[in-house]
Amino acid sequence: VLVQDINPAPQVSSSPSYLTRGGTTLYFSADDGTFGTDLWSTAPDNTPPTISTIDDQDTFDANPISVDFTIADLETAAGELEITATSDNADLLNDDSILIIGEGGSRTIQITPMDGNSGTARITVNVSDGALISSVTFMVEWWTAHVVANVPGPAVDYTTISDAIDNAADGDLII
C-alpha cells in the first residue's frame, strides 16, 4: 500500500509511516504535513478455502477405501481448517465410518462400509475456515464379488459358475 497524498494539493506529498500488521490487516498512519496524521487500515477479503477434486471410487465387498486429497486457504493455516465428511446412504456407509486423517494441507479420507453391504454412496467433504465453506462430492460404489473355485475353501463362495450365476444379483461380480 502506498499513500501518495491523503489530502491532495500540488505542493504537498505524503508517505506512510509506522506500518504495522495485525493478523491479515495492515495498519499505517500517514501525515500530509498540513492537516495532521490519519490512521488507515486495509484488510484483504476473506477467500473460501480450497479442496482438491476427489475421483469417484469403486471396490469389492466391504473393502475399505483410502483417498488422498489436499486443502488450502489464503488466510488460514491448513492445520486450522475444519474438515467434515458425510454420506447420503447411511444403510451402506454411516458418517462414523468416514475418517479424515493427516496434517496440514495433505489429508486422507478413509471410508469403510457396513459389512456385507454393496451399493453406492455419495460422499461430500466440506472444508471451512470458520466463515466460508468449500465442498467436493464424489461417488463410492461397492460391488459384491462371488468367488468361484473348483475346491471349497474359506474364501470360496461357489464351486461352480452356474451356482454363482444363479445366486448373483444384478451388478454382482463373479470371479
Side-chain angles (χ1 to χ4, degrees):
V1 174
L2 173 63
V3 176
Q4 292 182 345
D5 200 343
I6 60 174
N7 185 18
Q11 72 276 18
V12 180
S13 178
S14 299
S15 61
S17 62
Y18 304 112
L19 294 174
T20 305
R21 183 173 182 201
T24 58
T25 302
L26 177 66
Y27 297 94
F28 62 93
S29 62
D31 187 339
D32 69 359
T34 304
F35 293 98
T37 302
D38 284 336
L39 179 64
W40 291 59
S41 69
T42 181
D45 292 334
N46 187 21
T47 58
T50 59
I51 183 170
S52 63
T53 301
I54 300 175
D55 293 331
D56 292 345
Q57 306 289 315
D58 58 45
T59 190
F60 300 105
D61 294 320
N63 290 330
I65 295 173
S66 293
V67 182
D68 296 330
F69 65 99
T70 58
I71 59 170
D73 189 67
L74 291 176
E75 298 82 26
T76 306
E80 295 177 17
L81 296 172
E82 180 181 340
I83 307 167
T84 59
T86 57
S87 165
D88 74 342
N89 185 346
D91 292 333
L92 175 65
L93 178 70
N94 63 41
D95 294 347
D96 293 337
S97 297
I98 305 171
L99 299 175
I100 307 291
I101 61 171
E103 296 180 10
S106 298
R107 302 298 175 102
T108 300
I109 184 168
Q110 293 181 333
I111 306 164
T112 305
M114 308 282 267
D115 281 338
N117 286 339
S118 62
T120 303
R122 179 182 313 274
I123 310 300
T124 302
V125 181
N126 297 308
V127 58
S128 172
D129 63 7
L132 299 173
I133 298 173
S134 294
S135 301
V136 65
T137 300
F138 65 101
M139 300 297 291
V140 180
E141 187 164 8
W142 283 272
W143 301 91
T144 298
H146 299 283
V147 177
V148 179
N150 60 358
V151 178
V156 176
D157 296 315
Y158 302 99
T159 55
T160 67
I161 292 176
S162 62
D163 285 344
I165 292 171
D166 290 342
N167 290 290
D170 188 28
D172 287 358
L173 179 68
I174 299 172
I175 52 174

